[in-house]
Amino acid sequence: MEIGMKLYWGFDLLALRGILFTVLILNFVFCCHFLLLQPIVAAADGNPDAAAALFNRVSQNIKMKKYSEALDELNAAIEADPALSEAYFHRASVLRDMCRFVESEKNYKKFLEMNGGSSVAEKELSQLHQAQKALDSASDLFDSGEFTRALEYIEKVVLVFSPACSKAKLLKVRVLIASKDYATAISNTGYMLKEDEDNLEALLLRGRAYYYLEDHDVAIRHYQKGLRLDPEHAELKKAYFGLKNLLKKTKSAEDNTSKGKLRLAVEDYKAALALDPDHSAHNVHLHLGLCKVLVKLGRAKDALTSCTNVLEIDGDNVEALVQRGESNLLLEEWEAAVADLKAAAEKSPQDMSIRQSLMKAERSLKLSQRKDWYKILGVPKTAPVSEIKKAYKKLALQWHPDKNTDNREEAAAKFQEIAAAYEILGDDEKRARYDSGEDVEGNGMGGGGFNPFEGGGFHGGQQFTFHFEGGGGGFPGGFGGFHF
């Protein structure tokens, strides 16, 4: 019995404490409610001081960029007294600042209706219309790619008359990103996120700006934060998974390159480049990687295109200049190779490997500018002496001036060139010097070298007898019919 009584009084005291705690909370809420609403009620009762205090608080909230709080106060005041005309005017201004143009216009018109006209309200209403029109124009200009003009409308009109316009601020950031002004875009979204750290659109756009600066880790963090707030946000999901896929393809290309799986690397590089052609900061590395692999594979034309893509993004990229020079060497485009390698050597004068490649290209260019005696005789560089002699005999007969009476001058020049070619290639020592890159010139008309008109004919080999008929025959030197 005694134990039962103790339990009873214990529960009774607990219940009493609960009741007292509830009374205290209700009292606190009532006091707060009274303190907050009292100025509004006083304003509604026509107390000028209370109304002034209300509008002063609204003004202070606006200065602190607490537009929602200002709007809540004005909504409460109008609800308490629908006849408080000044509250309509202030609410219209706040709504205009937030570019809620339709609601703002209704409040301006309500104020004008209640007060029979006001020059200040009419001016602000006009500014509202200007801001509304400018925002629409800026959006159209952005869609048509006229970014500079779009930015002017936003900065010089919309944000002047509607400084808290979130829509205009986001559009401005999109324009900045499209204009590749990523640093300013990051700065602007930073201010927006200070005001509202859960602004999904600001998180998306700031992440995108970091993405285009190739700061992928920071971009991913912004996308992840947004997706934690809204896992089904379509644009955030697309941006996040698109970036992850790009990084995956890039790593696969680099891994295949290091493993020597060059053909697979080519496909990976191409796949990564196709994901976002506008991501220049990252694509410059992909194009360069692809260029290097293509040079290794000997696909010079394709490599030339990839290297050029790098230089279109970064004209000072030394490695791209070197690789394009190597591509031109493979294509035997000697002048282009020299130009690229010389530019690379000027940008990196301490790199001896570049200087060696440049010397190789310059030597190849020099060799390409001298006469190709093998080509003149129509024989390969590996042709034996017997083949060279045979080719010379055939061409000498073909181009003898007496057999080309209709074009003697051309034939004489060709005949002399053929003789000069044999003068070099028919002599083992001269041919060796020529093949090593020395400048060895033949004149085809004797002067200490080979003379096709001398009785000896071919050097060091089969002897041919030249028989001239007919005296002068019109050929310089008085040659007649040329016979073997």
Side-chain angles (χ1 to χ4, degrees):
M1 183 67 180
E2 186 178 349
I3 294 172
M5 287 299 293
K6 285 182 180 180
L7 288 172
Y8 172 78
W9 286 110
F11 282 120
D12 193 48
L13 286 171
L14 186 62
L16 182 60
R17 286 178 183 175
I19 292 168
L20 289 172
F21 184 70
T22 302
V23 170
L24 286 171
I25 290 176
L26 290 173
N27 187 57
F28 176 75
V29 170
F30 174 78
C31 290
C32 290
H33 187 67
F34 176 78
L35 289 171
L36 289 172
L37 287 182
Q38 191 274 334
I40 295 173
V41 173
D45 289 339
N47 186 329
D49 293 335
L54 168 66
F55 299 135
N56 183 60
R57 286 197 308 278
V58 169
S59 177
Q60 289 301 316
N61 280 328
I62 291 171
K63 286 180 181 178
M64 295 170 67
K65 298 183 179 180
K66 296 181 178 180
Y67 295 93
S68 296
E69 287 85 340
L71 202 55
D72 288 342
E73 291 232 42
L74 291 166
N75 289 338
I78 290 171
E79 187 177 351
D81 181 9
L84 189 61
S85 61
E86 282 295 316
Y88 288 100
F89 173 76
H90 285 285
R91 187 164 72 174
S93 295
V94 173
L95 290 167
R96 187 201 66 186
D97 285 350
M98 299 171 75
C99 68
R100 290 165 61 173
F101 296 124
V102 175
E103 298 169 78
S104 177
E105 185 171 5
K106 287 180 180 178
N107 279 269
Y108 276 125
K109 288 181 176 179
K110 180 70 174 177
F111 173 77
L112 289 168
E113 179 187 320
M114 295 172 72
N115 287 272
S118 165
S119 59
V120 175
E122 287 171 356
K123 181 181 178 181
E124 289 197 11
L125 182 58
S126 173
Q127 292 172 346
L128 178 152
H129 292 146
Q130 291 178 58
Q132 188 174 28
K133 186 176 179 181
L135 183 57
D136 291 339
S137 297
S139 182
D140 291 339
L141 288 166
F142 172 71
D143 290 339
S144 62
E146 297 183 64
F147 305 132
T148 302
R149 289 184 63 203
L151 203 58
E152 287 178 356
Y153 273 100
I154 295 168
E155 292 182 332
K156 295 181 179 180
V157 183
V158 184
L159 292 177
V160 171
F161 298 139
S162 302
C165 183
S166 180
K167 184 178 179 182
K169 290 178 181 179
L170 291 169
L171 179 58
K172 178 182 177 181
V173 174
R174 290 191 181 93
V175 172
L176 290 168
I177 290 174
S179 304
K180 299 184 179 181
D181 188 354
Y182 306 121
T184 308
I186 289 169
S187 175
N188 276 252
T189 47
Y191 290 126
M192 296 176 72
L193 289 167
K194 281 183 180 179
E195 295 173 11
D196 177 10
E197 65 179 4
D198 295 337
N199 187 322
L200 294 177
E201 296 304 311
L203 285 168
L204 170 67
L205 293 174
R206 198 161 200 250
R208 192 169 290 164
Y210 276 113
Y211 163 79
Y212 282 120
L213 285 174
E214 209 188 9
D215 198 340
H216 293 149
D217 290 340
V218 178
I220 285 175
R221 288 202 295 272
H222 279 75
Y223 297 152
Q224 287 175 330
K225 181 176 180 180
L227 288 170
R228 282 195 294 270
L229 295 167
D230 181 3
E232 298 304 317
H233 192 287
E235 287 191 77
L236 280 167
K237 285 173 70 176
K238 182 179 178 182
Y240 175 74
F241 289 111
L243 175 50
K244 296 290 281 186
N245 192 27
L246 175 64
L247 296 176
K248 181 181 178 181
K249 284 290 183 186
T250 301
K251 188 175 186 306
S252 178
E254 291 169 349
D255 288 346
N256 280 323
T257 300
S258 63
K259 293 174 183 176
K261 299 178 180 179
L262 302 184
R263 287 177 176 78
L264 287 175
V266 168
E267 296 308 312
D268 283 335
Y269 276 122
K270 287 182 176 180
L273 284 164
L275 291 173
D276 188 353
D278 297 325
H279 193 358
S280 300
H282 187 68
N283 289 350
V284 68
H285 305 301
L286 296 176
H287 283 303
L288 183 58
L290 179 58
C291 169
K292 289 178 176 179
V293 172
L294 291 169
V295 169
K296 289 179 181 177
L297 288 170
R299 292 168 55 179
K301 287 185 179 180
D302 293 334
L304 199 65
T305 300
S306 293
C307 290
T308 300
N309 287 335
V310 175
L311 293 166
E312 285 175 355
I313 299 170
D314 177 10
D316 294 325
N317 193 302
V318 173
E319 205 167 358
L321 285 167
V322 172
Q323 292 298 319
R324 192 168 72 172
E326 295 293 339
S327 302
N328 279 314
L329 285 174
L330 290 172
L331 293 169
E332 298 186 355
E333 295 290 345
W334 312 120
E335 289 186 9
V338 168
D340 282 337
L341 291 167
K342 187 175 287 186
E346 288 172 357
K347 294 178 188 300
S348 184
Q350 305 303 319
D351 193 323
M352 294 308 298
S353 64
I354 295 176
R355 299 208 66 81
Q356 288 172 358
S357 295
L358 175 58
M359 290 171 64
K360 176 183 174 183
E362 287 175 333
R363 181 172 175 275
S364 297
L365 175 60
K366 185 177 179 180
L367 292 176
S368 73
Q369 291 171 337
R370 65 180 184 167
K371 286 189 176 181
D372 187 341
W373 301 121
Y374 290 101
K375 186 176 182 181
I376 289 168
L377 292 182
V379 296
K381 292 181 179 180
T382 56
V385 174
S386 59
E387 187 177 345
I388 291 171
K389 289 177 181 178
K390 184 178 178 181
Y392 168 68
K393 177 181 177 180
K394 179 181 177 182
L395 290 169
L397 283 170
Q398 179 185 342
W399 287 100
H400 188 278
D402 282 353
K403 293 194 174 189
N404 294 272
T405 55
D406 293 337
N407 58 337
R408 279 180 177 273
E409 289 187 8
E410 180 188 354
K414 189 73 175 175
F415 185 78
Q416 186 172 346
E417 187 177 54
I418 292 163
Y422 184 73
E423 181 181 350
I424 304 299
L425 301 183
D427 183 292
D428 291 340
E429 186 262 331
K430 287 183 179 179
R431 182 182 181 184
R433 286 167 51 205
Y434 173 76
D435 287 345
S436 69
E438 286 188 39
D439 290 328
V440 184
E441 296 294 333
N443 57 33
M445 293 300 291
F450 172 76
N451 188 339
F453 305 111
E454 291 179 358
F458 294 79
H459 291 282
Q462 181 181 356
Q463 300 295 310
F464 291 89
T465 301
F466 292 82
H467 176 67
F468 302 95
E469 296 178 347
F475 181 68
F479 307 131
F482 175 46
H483 298 289
F484 289 95

